Amino acid sequence: MHIKPSAAIRKNYNEISKLCKESGEPVYLTKNGEGDLVVMDITAFSRRESMLRLRETLVAVEEDRLAGKKGFSIDDVDEMMKKTIGEVADGRRE
């Protein structure tokens, strides 16, 4: 975990940017000794956002499963994927 005073972003932007990019971790900025902001590389942020969306989807699916909502078997999913891939492949040939 990287913690810097908020003044560091004004004085050492390039250093903090490099630290974020190289570590892939956020840098926590403090103001008057207390947490104030978090700065992170856009690639790491995008990856984190994608993971959060995936987790939200998985939680929703698990809640549906626990509530008794019908899901799909592996064979059902395999058939749907083959059908979709076939439709996309056919569309590219036209």
Side-chain angles (χ1 to χ4, degrees):
M1 178 185 321
H2 305 284
I3 301 173
K4 303 279 184 182
S6 61
I9 195 80
R10 290 187 300 272
K11 295 176 184 173
N12 301 315
Y13 177 87
N14 289 334
E15 177 187 323
I16 291 175
S17 175
K18 182 179 177 184
L19 180 61
C20 288
K21 287 176 181 13
E22 288 178 353
S23 70
E25 296 291 322
V27 173
Y28 299 87
L29 301 177
T30 62
K31 184 174 183 179
N32 298 324
E34 300 207 11
D36 187 44
L37 297 171
V38 176
V39 179
M40 63 190 318
D41 175 60
I42 193 73
T43 302
F45 175 77
S46 296
R47 185 174 51 247
R48 184 174 292 225
E49 288 295 301
S50 293
M51 290 299 295
L52 287 173
R53 281 192 300 276
L54 175 59
R55 285 182 185 193
E56 288 173 2
T57 300
L58 291 173
V59 166
V61 168
E62 181 64 5
E63 287 172 348
D64 287 347
R65 186 189 70 79
L66 292 172
K69 188 172 181 182
K70 183 183 178 321
F72 299 97
S73 71
I74 292 174
D75 291 335
D76 293 338
V77 173
D78 184 53
E79 186 61 34
M80 287 186 288
M81 289 178 67
K82 285 178 182 176
K83 180 181 176 193
T84 302
I85 291 168
E87 289 171 359
V88 170
D90 290 342
R92 287 187 181 160
R93 286 189 222 148
E94 292 178 6

